[in-house]
Amino acid sequence: MTAAGGKWQGPSVVAGAAAVILIAVVPPLIATFGQVIGAEDVLAPFATAQLWLLFARSLALAGAVTALSLVVGVPLGILFARAHLPLQRLLFAAHLSILFLPPFLPTLGWFHVFGRDGYLGGPLSAAILFSDVGLVLALTNVLLPAVTGLTAIGARGIDASLEEAARVAGGPWRAAAFVVVPTAAPAIALAGVIVFALAFSELGVPMFLRVDVYPELVFSRLGGMDFAPGEAAALALPLVVLAAALLWIEQRLAGGRAVAALGGGGLGVRAPLFAFRPWMLGVGLIAASISLAPIAALLVHGAERGGLLEAGRWIGAAPVNSLLASSLAATFMVMAGAILGVSLARQGVVGVWLDRIAVLAFVLPAAILGVGIAYAWNRPATNWLYASVLVLVVAYVARYSALATRTVAAAVAQTPRSLDDAARTVGAGYFDRLRLQLGMAPQALIGAFALALVFSLRDLETAVLLYPPGGEPLTARIFTLEANGPAGVVSALAALHMLITFMAVGLAWFALRPRASA
Amino acid sequence: MNRRHLLALSGAAAAAPLGLAGCSQSTQGVVAYTSVDQVFSEPVFQAFERQSGIRVRAVYDTEETKSTGVLNRLIAEAQNPQADVFWSGDPVRPFQLIRRNLVEPYVSPQSTGLPDAFKAADGTWTGFAARARVLLANRKRVSDADMPRSIRDLAAPGWRGQTAMANPLFGTTTMHVGALAAAWGEAAMRSFLTDLKTNGVRISSSNGEVKRLVVAGEVAFGLTDTDDANEALKDGANVAVIYPDQDDFGALVIPTSVVMLRGAKRTEAARALVDYLLSADVERQMAESAAHMPLRPGVPTPANVRPVSDLHAMQVDYAQVSDQIEAQQDWLRRWGGL
């Protein structure tokens, strides 16, 4: 490589990575918001108090879910990360498992438990379930593991010497309160932002529990009889402001950086902060149980009706479709995310602006993005993409690329920039410096791939609008069969979905894990 | 990640889409979109595949967006149609497509045995295998003496907060509201819906959800479709199915309907599928699996399926119902707080 060629290495690779995100995200956004221009009276709904009350109500509900998730999830994450706990990995995996499912399914499980005729149900429990309180609890149940998981990563990534010093000076509790939590605060902030965004944009659970939320207002313009994408796009405009607000809040909590730092260098073996106490095992068991309980309820309900055995008849090629689209999308997201994440972590202009665009796509209701993709890509010239599984790949990259990029960025942000500067000074090329930075955050790519894969596999709301004829993914099949399908089939397919996700993440970890020779 | 890894990954990632896209370019088979529950429609498609050797690549609706999700996808794809055939769960959605010039008229030879009231003479749509709107009551919560007999009972003060119906912005409930507006007039329909709201009727996300709420005893009774009610009976639920308003204006009958789409890329296969769907054999299959009432005379029905001839049906003009549905959307959204 000549010096001139080396000079263009970085910009060329960054441009390639940026193209992946831009191609996935920008055309649907332009197509969607372009509908606003041609539509009549699209801004009229904003003049009604009803709209803003609904928006405020959704903010309050998402805020409650976020607050509850943080209050429970932060101590839980520290416990899982820094306590000596028997069966720690098993309990942690069980606790995280609920995150693998579309939120509607666990809520259906809770309905079988706490509905009026549920296993533990009665009029009071049913009244609570079908209320704002029920919605907050159901969504917290599903999203809590995001806080636990990110807090655990943050807590394990801090400098061991700091923790050790604090422990010597004031014991484990003070060390946790005054060193671990503050140091992991950026990771906790990121978790809060993710939970808030997911809680705010959730549609299936509020519709099931009959709680009116703002995304339903947007959806009613796309799923109702008078298909009005222009109105829907106009109604999504406040979400652009919301996305900007979330980014601003996160940046403030992350100390002015473009992204929170998660850590990653401290994930090796170290002495636990807390010695084992029986109550800790109890807490771990409860955390695992509240994730597994609704899934178990689904399975029991299905088994009681003899539908589990019928699952094979209904499964079709859905698991293959899911894995194909999701793994390809996750590969694209990690490739782009590895490069853009480094740029974002170093506050590069390209990384920062692409992150803003990707976060907007993450916060927008899935239906808006889905319709935008249909408008942007359903043309004779691009039929090869739209009519194939590739349309799901585009949809997943558009919706979830922010997660992969930010996971990489958060890990890289923890590493010292001076090393990169030193490498540059001695004439290291772009790829050498990229390798150096990613090498210092070895879990970043695994984490990014796992997150991208999990969220793509669990996606329902985008996929169901776009899946190619005959190529439905497993989540879409579960939901289309949910209408009058044998009771056990939905439960069995949900369990299978979790199993596939665990296996896929396990395989990804095995393939990408850092090796001694690396 | 070094340059070699990146190039290898880029190559693999670039090659995979080309292979996948190549697989997608098939002009074989037929593409069908349907808002009929997958659990009922997929076996019909599979039977067609076995009989004809033509592969059906299908897109199904979810319960929450039933009838409108797939319909809106067809509208969004109008610039480059993907589907050849639309099998609708009701006869009014096709009118949305007809108005947008998205339908290719086709008079199937199989349609000759079907009553004129359930098909368009120009072949734009043809109805078959029908459902009816029914009240589903939980026998533990409603005694035989108190069984509702009319949809007006949903607004009865004695049942305040104890009944359910699906969101009228989606699914067959949309059609029911449109039919009431056509039959009673707009003002009476709106007054009725306002009464329902005042009476605390629980608005659920779908008819299947209404069934679930009734079976679980969350509500005493609810308004749903015969296929949902039949599933509750098949599950052994302690429920009663009431065909409403048999002494008054009648129960709404909702045939499924099939249309061929303009721009269909696989015309011959599409015609073969339409012919098959309109056959007596499919009406029989739908009666057995989904409790749909055959519209063609002489098709045997299981004991749990009430023949359409035994039913006092609402007299409706489906085109007029479709007009009413469009006209009422804004008001319905406000009614629902959206």
Side-chain angles (χ1 to χ4, degrees):
Chain A
M1 182 66 68
T2 63
K7 182 181 170 186
W8 289 103
Q9 263 183 7
S12 309
V13 174
V14 171
V20 171
I21 307 300
L22 289 173
I23 287 171
V25 177
V26 174
L29 290 184
I30 290 174
T32 302
F33 288 107
Q35 298 286 319
V36 179
I37 297 165
E40 291 177 13
D41 294 332
V42 289
L43 299 179
F46 291 109
T48 63
Q50 197 175 16
L51 179 144
W52 293 110
L53 284 173
L54 195 60
F55 191 73
R57 177 188 174 82
S58 288
L59 287 176
L61 288 168
V65 172
T66 308
L68 192 55
S69 297
L70 289 172
V71 166
V72 179
V74 170
L76 206 51
I78 291 170
L79 183 79
F80 275 122
R82 301 299 299 118
H84 176 64
L85 203 63
L87 306 172
Q88 184 179 25
R89 288 188 176 183
L90 187 66
L91 294 174
F92 195 38
H95 175 64
L96 293 181
S97 62
I98 198 169
L99 197 59
F100 294 175
L101 289 172
F104 175 80
L105 284 176
T107 307
L108 189 58
W110 286 123
F111 172 73
H112 294 319
V113 177
F114 291 120
R116 184 183 283 258
D117 275 2
Y119 303 121
L120 303 174
L124 179 63
S125 65
I128 293 171
L129 183 62
F130 286 92
S131 71
D132 289 5
V133 173
L135 175 69
V136 169
L137 292 175
L139 286 180
T140 302
N141 177 229
V142 176
L143 298 174
L144 171 65
V147 177
T148 315
L150 283 168
T151 303
I153 292 173
R156 293 181 70 181
I158 66 170
D159 189 332
S161 60
L162 280 177
E163 188 183 294
E164 189 60 29
R167 180 158 56 175
V168 169
W173 293 104
R174 286 178 69 85
F178 295 107
V179 174
V180 177
V181 171
T183 313
I188 296 167
L190 175 61
V193 168
I194 290 174
V195 168
F196 186 90
L198 290 173
F200 187 90
S201 60
E202 175 61 30
L203 181 64
V205 175
M207 280 179 83
F208 178 65
L209 296 179
R210 285 314 313 150
V211 176
D212 291 337
V213 291
Y214 193 80
E216 197 179 348
L217 184 73
V218 180
F219 181 70
S220 70
R221 267 64 174 179
L222 296 172
M225 269 306 261
D226 56 343
F227 182 57
E231 278 186 49
L235 289 170
L237 287 173
L239 303 182
V240 178
V241 179
L242 179 67
L246 288 175
L247 282 170
W248 181 79
I249 291 168
E250 188 201 5
Q251 199 166 335
R252 297 274 296 178
L253 293 172
R257 285 181 296 199
V259 66
L262 281 185
L267 290 172
V269 175
R270 67 168 74 172
L273 181 60
F274 296 101
F276 173 69
R277 297 280 185 278
W279 65 263
M280 291 178 182
L281 181 60
V283 170
L285 284 169
I286 290 170
S289 300
I290 57 171
S291 288
L292 293 178
I295 301 161
L298 271 179
L299 286 171
V300 171
H301 185 259
E304 283 175 351
R305 283 151 182 80
L308 292 181
L309 298 176
E310 289 188 58
R313 184 183 149 208
W314 291 103
I315 194 165
V320 177
N321 298 333
S322 278
L323 280 170
L324 191 63
S326 299
S327 53
L328 199 53
T331 304
F332 273 113
M333 283 189 259
V334 168
M335 283 174 57
I339 293 150
L340 297 175
V342 170
S343 172
L344 176 61
R346 302 306 181 213
Q347 310 247 40
V349 174
V350 175
V352 168
W353 274 100
L354 284 174
D355 176 62
R356 289 173 182 169
I357 294 170
V359 167
L360 174 60
F362 181 60
V363 172
L364 280 179
I368 290 275
L369 202 60
V371 171
I373 289 171
Y375 278 125
W377 292 101
N378 182 32
R379 300 168 190 278
T382 51
N383 203 55
W384 56 273
L385 183 147
Y386 185 77
S388 75
V389 71
L390 294 179
V391 73
L392 292 179
V393 176
V394 169
Y396 295 157
V397 172
R399 189 140 192 240
Y400 303 118
S401 64
L403 293 174
T405 303
R406 286 173 150 260
T407 305
V408 173
V412 171
Q414 189 84 347
T415 64
R417 183 169 189 159
S418 53
L419 285 177
D420 181 43
D421 293 338
R424 190 196 301 266
T425 306
V426 298
Y430 175 80
F431 285 107
D432 291 327
R433 288 189 290 114
L434 183 67
R435 189 181 182 191
L436 177 71
Q437 292 177 88
L438 293 176
M440 286 189 294
Q443 307 287 356
L445 294 182
I446 299 172
F449 189 87
L451 262 182
L453 187 67
V454 165
F455 275 83
S456 299
L457 281 170
R458 81 197 272 277
D459 179 274
L460 168 71
E461 289 159 329
T462 336
V464 83
L465 290 169
L466 291 166
Y467 72 82
E472 59 186 335
L474 189 53
T475 46
R477 196 165 185 85
I478 290 171
F479 276 78
T480 48
L481 282 174
E482 198 258 335
N484 283 328
V489 168
V490 170
S491 310
L493 294 185
L496 180 71
H497 176 82
M498 277 182 47
L499 188 66
I500 287 171
T501 307
F502 265 122
M503 287 173 64
V505 171
L507 274 175
W509 175 84
F510 184 77
L512 296 173
R513 75 193 192 284
R515 291 172 175 82
S517 59
Chain B
M1 181 181 285
N2 60 21
R3 182 169 39 193
R4 214 178 311 153
H5 285 135
L6 194 67
L7 289 175
L9 260 176
S10 305
L18 294 176
L20 294 170
C23 297
S24 75
Q25 291 300 293
S26 168
T27 52
Q28 303 300 308
V30 58
V31 173
Y33 287 14
T34 183
S35 54
V36 174
D37 288 350
Q38 181 174 12
V39 70
F40 305 134
S41 54
E42 191 171 60
V44 172
F45 289 145
Q46 287 167 346
F48 170 72
E49 287 178 333
R50 284 193 297 275
Q51 189 189 79
S52 67
I54 298 170
R55 186 184 166 216
V56 179
R57 289 185 287 137
V59 169
Y60 304 93
D61 237 342
T62 62
E63 178 71 351
E64 279 68 24
T65 61
K66 189 52 58 70
S67 305
T68 44
V70 161
L71 177 82
N72 289 339
R73 182 166 169 170
L74 285 167
I75 295 169
E77 290 176 349
Q79 59 183 340
N80 181 39
Q82 299 291 329
D84 304 307
V85 172
F86 175 40
W87 180 10
S88 171
D90 65 53
V92 294
R93 265 72 186 186
F95 285 98
Q96 311 291 319
L97 300 176
I98 292 166
R99 276 192 207 103
R100 291 171 170 83
N101 200 27
L102 298 177
V103 170
E104 184 69 44
Y106 171 57
V107 180
S108 167
Q110 291 285 353
S111 66
T112 49
L114 292 161
D116 289 344
F118 298 117
K119 63 186 179 189
D122 63 359
T124 45
W125 67 277
T126 312
F128 61 108
R131 293 174 287 174
R133 297 285 284 168
V134 291
L135 293 167
L136 186 69
N138 184 308
R139 286 187 180 277
K140 271 166 57 178
R141 295 195 58 175
V142 186
S143 68
D144 285 348
D146 292 334
M147 280 291 165
R149 296 170 57 82
S150 167
I151 60 168
R152 294 185 204 274
D153 289 329
L154 291 162
W159 294 113
R160 186 179 176 82
Q162 298 183 65
T163 61
M165 64 182 270
N167 189 333
L169 285 173
F170 310 108
T172 48
T173 312
T174 318
M175 182 183 165
H176 204 162
V177 169
L180 293 179
W184 295 352
E186 179 181 277
M189 181 279 289
R190 290 183 177 185
S191 170
F192 174 61
L193 258 63
T194 304
D195 290 345
L196 293 186
K197 200 171 181 181
T198 308
N199 208 38
V201 172
R202 188 183 290 190
I203 305 302
S204 71
S205 56
S206 65
N207 291 309
E209 190 52 38
V210 171
K211 173 198 74 178
R212 193 160 22 223
L213 293 172
V214 172
V215 169
E218 297 288 343
V219 295
F221 67 92
L223 184 62
T224 186
D225 298 333
T226 39
D227 57 333
D228 297 290
N230 186 58
E231 288 303 309
L233 292 171
K234 269 166 52 179
D235 279 351
N238 189 14
V239 292
V241 180
I242 302 113
Y243 288 82
D245 303 296
Q246 291 303 282
D247 305 325
D248 195 351
F249 54 87
L252 181 64
V253 172
I254 305 170
T256 64
S257 62
V258 64
V259 302
M260 257 188 69
L261 295 161
R262 181 149 290 163
K265 295 180 175 74
R266 296 146 287 254
T267 313
E268 287 309 311
R271 285 184 177 162
L273 178 59
V274 171
D275 293 346
Y276 179 76
L277 289 175
L278 295 176
S279 67
D281 189 41
V282 169
E283 286 215 300
R284 182 191 52 73
Q285 283 182 57
M286 291 298 287
E288 288 172 357
S289 67
H292 280 44
M293 300 173 287
L295 298 181
R296 186 189 302 273
V299 175
T301 57
N304 60 318
V305 178
R306 189 162 168 177
V308 74
S309 54
D310 289 0
L311 200 63
H312 175 37
M314 266 181 94
Q315 298 303 302
V316 289
D317 174 336
Y318 294 123
Q320 198 185 350
V321 171
S322 178
D323 290 341
Q324 280 295 340
I325 287 173
E326 284 215 4
Q328 303 303 328
Q329 284 295 299
D330 270 348
W331 185 84
L332 284 173
R333 275 204 296 257
R334 287 197 300 278
W335 175 85
L338 297 175

